[in-house]
Amino acid sequence: MSEASKDGAHPAALWARGRAFTPEQLDCTTAVVLKILDGKCKMGAGEKRAVTAVYQELHSRPESQQHLFDSSSHQLIAQALEGMDSSALREAIHALRLQAEVDIPKPVMKAYKAVLADGLFG
């Protein structure tokens, strides 16, 4: 995928706009961003930018606030995306990531990563 469309949106954000996501997929998107922010993601820089663009496109959808992550979680992530400037913020992101790994079954995350691989990176 190229880095930006004519309207400035990342191609991954455009991809996300055009599809429906299950509540579990919304949670998985958030969990991957938490992993990126926590420094535990093994994706390349371009893939990280793509997933972050998908998250930024999706997190404001009402249904993204109704499952594992609430508005306070998304506010914390927004703050971290602007800069991990405090140990309290780093600790909060770390705790959210660990909880997401407990709450999201591995087969659900694996299926979501396959959707990403097929839709974004395939």
Side-chain angles (χ1 to χ4, degrees), residues 103-114:
D103 292 341
I104 299 172
K106 290 192 186 310
V108 171
M109 183 59 82
K110 185 175 182 177
Y112 175 72
K113 287 179 180 177

Side-chain angles (χ1 to χ4, degrees), residues 25-80:
Q25 290 172 327
L26 292 168
D27 288 342
C28 288
T29 303
T30 303
V32 173
V33 169
L34 287 167
K35 198 168 183 176
I36 291 167
L37 290 169
D38 199 24
K40 300 299 181 186
C41 185
K42 295 178 183 171
M43 292 179 174
E47 292 169 321
K48 289 176 184 178
R49 282 191 300 276
V51 173
T52 301
V54 169
Y55 169 79
Q56 290 174 320
E57 180 65 33
L58 299 178
H59 82 277
S60 61
R61 288 185 183 181
E63 62 269 27
S64 74
Q65 310 286 325
Q66 298 171 358
H67 210 242
L68 291 179
F69 302 99
D70 60 14
S71 61
S72 64
S73 299
H74 293 295
Q75 289 170 353
L76 202 67
I77 292 167
Q79 186 180 354

